[in-house]
Amino acid sequence: MSFALHHDLSGDRITAANDAARLAWNDTLEALLAHAAATPDHLARTLAADPDFALAHAAKGLMLLSLARGELLGPARDCLAKARAAARLRPVTRREAMVVEALAFWLDGAPRRAAERLEAILLAHPFDVLALKLSHGIRFILGDQVEMLATLRRVAPGFGESHPLAGYVHGCHAFALEERGFYGEAERAGRRAVAMSPRDAWGRHAVAHVLEMTGRADEGVAWLGDGRDIAHANNLRFHIFWHLALFRLERGETGEVLRLYDEEIRAESTDDYRDIANGASLLARLEFAGVDVGQRWEELAARAEGRVHDGCLVFADLHYALSLLGAGHAAEADAIARDLIADAKAHPSGERRDAARNGALAAFGLIAFHERDYGEAARLLGAARDGLLAVGGSHAQRDLFEQAYAESLIRSGEHDRAAVVLLERLARRKGHNRFASRRLEKLGRLGKTASGLVAALAVASTPLAIAH
C-alpha cells in the first residue's frame, strides 16, 4: 500500500496514508489537549481516512485505558492488534513504534513502564505533544507527581509562542507544579496557558487547583465564571464545575452548591469514575457541612453498583464505595474493600498492589465511618493518610479522605489530634478554610483543645508565605 510521510502539528513525522488523515490527526491532537468532547470524532475521522494508521490505533488504545473501565480492556487490546498489523503493512517511525509499545506495556499491567516509554520519545522528539499528554495522564493516575513534574520541567520551556499547541503544554506544566506545591509558579504558568490557548480547559483547571489550595474562594468563583469557556470540553467540564462548587461551599453558599450539583455536575447520569468521584465527594462534603442532600446518593449508588468488581483503578474503587455507603448499600462497599485486600496481596500489577494496600485501609475506614465506629475510622483513615498519593487523583480530590479523617477524630473524642490536623490544614490555606475554622471553633467551645493549640490557631490564622 502506498503512503506519504507527513508531519503533524508538532513537526513530527507520521506515516499517514494521505493528507485527509494528516489533517484529521492534527484535529485529534488539538482536541486531546483541549479535553474536547469532539476528540473521539476526530480520531474516528483519522482512521476512516487511513484505516492502517498504526499511531492512531495505538493512541486510541491508550485513551481507552485512561478511562479505567473493565469493559474497555478488550477494545484496547483490539487497538494494539490493529496497530501491530498496520505496522507490518508499512514501515512506521521509531517514535510511532514506541507509542505502540507503550500501549502493550499498559495492557500488560505496567502503566509506569508505559509512561517511561512515552517519555523516552521526548528525548528525541521534545515537541511530541501526544507522548507528553499521554504520559502526563498516566503519571497522574499513578499519583507519581515527581516524575510528572520532572518531565514538564524538561520539556515545557522549549515550547515558545510559535508552537501551535504551546499553551496546552504550559497548562500541563501548571498542573504538575500545583500538585507539587509550587503554587506561585503554577498560577503564572496556568494563566499564561489559558491566555495562549483559550480552549485549554486543563490549564484553567490547574489555576482553579491553585486557588483552592491557597484558600482563595472569591478569586476561584471569578476565575471559573459561568462555564462558557469550557463549553467545548468533555466530562472535564463537570469536574471544573465541581471546583466551582467547592468555592461556593467555602463561601457557605450551599443552595448554589446543590444547584450546581443538579444542573451541571450530575446533569448527565454517567458512570464514568471521574464523574462519580465528583458527585460522591461533593455530597460527602455537603453532609459534613450539615446539609441534607436528599435522595441524591441513590442515583450515584445505582451507577456504582455496576462497578463493584471493576478493579481497574483504586481511586475509582474508593469513590464507588463512598457512593454505595452514602445510599446505605454497605454490602457492596464491603465487597470493594475486600477486593482491594485481595489485590494488595496478589494482583499481577505492582502498581495495583501498591495502590490497593492504602486503598483497602481507606475503604474500610469509610465503612467504619458509615457504621459510626469513629475510633476505628480514625485509625484506618489515619493509617492510609500518608500513602493515599499512590491511588492517584489530585490533592483536592483526595482531600475528602482528609476531611473524613478529621471528622472521625472529632467524633471519636480525639480532639487534640483533630486540632493538629485542622491547624495544619488551615495553615496550608493561608488561614482561609471554612471546614477547619468551623471545627476549631467548635473544639474551642467544647473546651477540649489544649491552650497551646489555641495559641497555635492564632498563628495559623495569619496569612503565611507559600514555601515555594
Side-chain angles (χ1 to χ4, degrees), residues 83-392:
R84 285 174 167 169
R88 287 192 293 270
L89 283 175
R90 63 183 188 231
V92 298
T93 67
R94 179 59 186 143
R95 179 180 76 94
E96 291 171 314
M98 291 170 77
V99 178
V100 179
E101 291 164 5
L103 174 58
F105 278 131
W106 200 348
L107 282 168
D108 285 342
R112 198 176 306 278
R113 291 193 70 186
E116 290 167 352
R117 185 53 51 95
L118 292 165
E119 289 153 6
I121 294 172
L122 295 167
L123 297 176
H125 302 275
F127 298 112
D128 184 348
V129 293
L130 177 71
L132 179 62
K133 184 65 174 177
L134 292 175
S135 75
H136 183 67
I138 296 173
R139 293 295 185 186
F140 178 47
I141 287 172
L142 293 173
D144 193 348
Q145 299 171 347
V146 172
E147 286 303 319
M148 182 167 64
L149 179 55
T151 297
L152 268 302
R153 281 211 187 277
R154 284 194 303 271
V155 174
F159 282 80
E161 301 286 335
S162 62
H163 193 288
L165 302 175
Y168 297 114
V169 173
H170 294 304
C172 291
H173 192 195
F175 183 75
L177 286 164
E178 180 277 326
E179 286 297 286
R180 291 292 291 156
F182 297 97
Y183 297 130
E185 196 178 348
E187 184 173 355
R188 289 190 294 275
R191 290 184 183 274
R192 180 188 180 198
V194 173
M196 292 176 70
S197 300
R199 278 164 51 87
D200 185 13
W202 192 248
R204 189 173 297 278
H205 155 261
V207 174
H209 270 267
V210 172
L211 299 176
E212 162 70 20
M213 299 305 293
T214 54
R216 296 151 65 191
D218 291 345
E219 291 179 65
V221 171
W223 171 248
L224 295 181
D226 60 7
R228 280 181 293 183
D229 295 314
I230 56 169
H232 68 283
N234 56 20
N235 62 333
L236 178 62
R237 72 184 187 277
F238 303 146
H239 180 66
I240 292 176
F241 277 113
W242 175 83
H243 276 281
L244 180 59
L246 293 190
F247 293 131
R248 295 289 190 181
L249 184 59
E250 177 65 18
R251 301 202 313 191
E253 300 167 358
T254 55
E256 178 63 9
V257 174
L258 289 171
R259 186 195 70 77
L260 286 169
Y261 183 96
D262 294 336
E263 297 180 13
E264 303 291 355
I265 297 164
R266 289 302 289 170
E268 298 179 24
S269 180
T270 75
D271 69 343
D272 186 294
Y273 81 89
R274 296 161 296 190
D275 303 341
I276 288 178
N278 293 332
S281 64
L282 186 57
L283 292 186
R285 285 169 165 87
L286 283 164
E287 289 191 337
F288 290 156
V291 177
D292 182 354
V293 300
Q295 298 300 306
R296 291 177 176 85
W297 283 113
E298 292 294 340
E299 180 268 331
L300 288 177
R303 292 298 185 180
E305 280 177 339
R307 299 284 162 194
V308 170
H309 298 293
D310 227 29
C312 288
L313 187 65
V314 174
F315 176 86
D317 296 333
L318 290 174
H319 286 87
Y320 299 148
L322 181 63
S323 301
L324 292 161
L325 290 169
H329 300 188
E332 291 93 335
D334 186 72
I336 291 174
R338 293 188 183 281
D339 280 353
L340 287 171
I341 288 179
D343 285 351
K345 293 178 179 177
H347 198 278
S349 168
E351 287 91 340
R352 175 77 183 181
R353 290 195 303 274
D354 291 343
R357 290 186 191 102
N358 294 289
L361 290 168
F364 280 111
L366 293 174
I367 291 169
F369 190 96
H370 174 73
E371 294 173 346
R372 294 186 172 84
D373 186 351
Y374 298 119
E376 181 67 355
R379 186 185 71 81
L380 291 166
L381 290 168
R385 190 182 182 204
D386 290 337
L388 276 181
L389 183 62
V391 310

Side-chain angles (χ1 to χ4, degrees), residues 407-428:
E407 281 288 312
S408 300
L409 289 171
I410 292 169
R411 297 184 190 191
S412 64
E414 295 280 353
H415 293 163
D416 282 357
R417 288 175 60 200
V420 170
V421 172
L422 295 167
L423 288 165
E424 291 172 351
R425 177 185 185 83
L426 200 60
R428 286 195 300 270

